Amino acid sequence: MDDEKSRAPIVLLVGIAAALVLVGIFYLAGRLTPAPSKLVEQPLPMGPAEQAYVPDVQFLEPKVARAANFLNQEVTFVFGTVLNNGPRAVRQIEITIEFHDVFNQVVLRDTQRLFSPTAVPLAPNERRDFQLGYETLPAQWNQAYPTIHITGLQLQ
């Protein structure tokens, strides 16, 4: 029994040392592992062909709605439908969305892409719904539907 009592502090110290070594290994592994490189999206082209195609892309059925997320924070959603009235398929649309105040001054400008990189291209005469979520919007926002400008197109 005395032999077990005399070993207890040694076992405890060995356990603490092993735990500290493991914590140190995980800390160093996290510090020495390079962070994953974040892909920087290049702006979509907006040359003469894309500019000429912009009138063929229309935004329909605009809606703005607010909802609470699971953390009870208000999220504002911008909904709409994009219509391709032109003869070519559209692989990707880049938009700049602007929220205004009561004096029609821009209080928030955001650039978004409407389709995922793996999405099927938007065929001629096809419609597709989109939804953009914003957790925070400036208090000065006039609560009106924001303006949407096409700032890039990738045509097929």
Side-chain angles (χ1 to χ4, degrees):
M1 184 106 168
D2 285 335
D3 196 28
E4 287 180 17
K5 282 186 179 180
S6 65
R7 274 198 265 170
I10 293 173
V11 170
L12 181 63
L13 287 175
V14 169
I16 291 173
L20 288 175
V21 167
L22 285 174
V23 167
I25 288 171
F26 283 116
Y27 175 76
L28 287 176
R31 299 272 306 197
L32 297 177
T33 304
S37 62
K38 193 173 184 181
L39 286 175
V40 177
E41 289 185 333
Q42 296 295 320
L44 290 179
M46 198 59 172
E50 290 83 9
Q51 289 176 11
Y53 201 83
V54 167
D56 292 329
V57 178
Q58 297 174 338
F59 294 97
L60 311 170
E61 304 168 16
K63 294 180 195 110
V64 175
R66 289 192 143 179
N69 64 11
F70 65 95
L71 295 175
N72 207 22
Q73 299 168 325
E74 284 246 330
V75 179
T76 303
F77 292 99
V78 176
F79 299 97
T81 302
V82 61
L83 170 65
N84 179 7
N85 268 338
R88 298 176 67 182
V90 178
R91 294 185 56 92
Q92 185 61 270
I93 300 174
E94 187 175 85
I95 61 167
T96 297
I97 188 165
E98 295 177 339
F99 294 85
H100 298 88
D101 64 8
V102 293
F103 302 109
N104 208 28
Q105 296 174 330
V106 176
V107 293
L108 177 67
R109 181 176 290 124
D110 185 33
T111 300
Q112 296 273 348
R113 292 195 179 175
L114 295 186
F115 310 141
S116 73
T118 58
V120 176
L122 186 65
N125 299 314
E126 186 180 2
R127 296 171 178 238
R128 188 171 300 163
D129 294 332
F130 66 90
Q131 170 184 325
L132 305 171
Y134 293 90
E135 290 184 9
T136 56
L137 286 173
Q140 301 88 350
W141 174 45
N142 65 3
Q143 308 296 310
Y145 193 79
T147 16
I148 297 176
H149 305 284
I150 296 176
T151 53
L153 279 176
Q154 187 177 25
L155 302 171
Q156 191 166 359

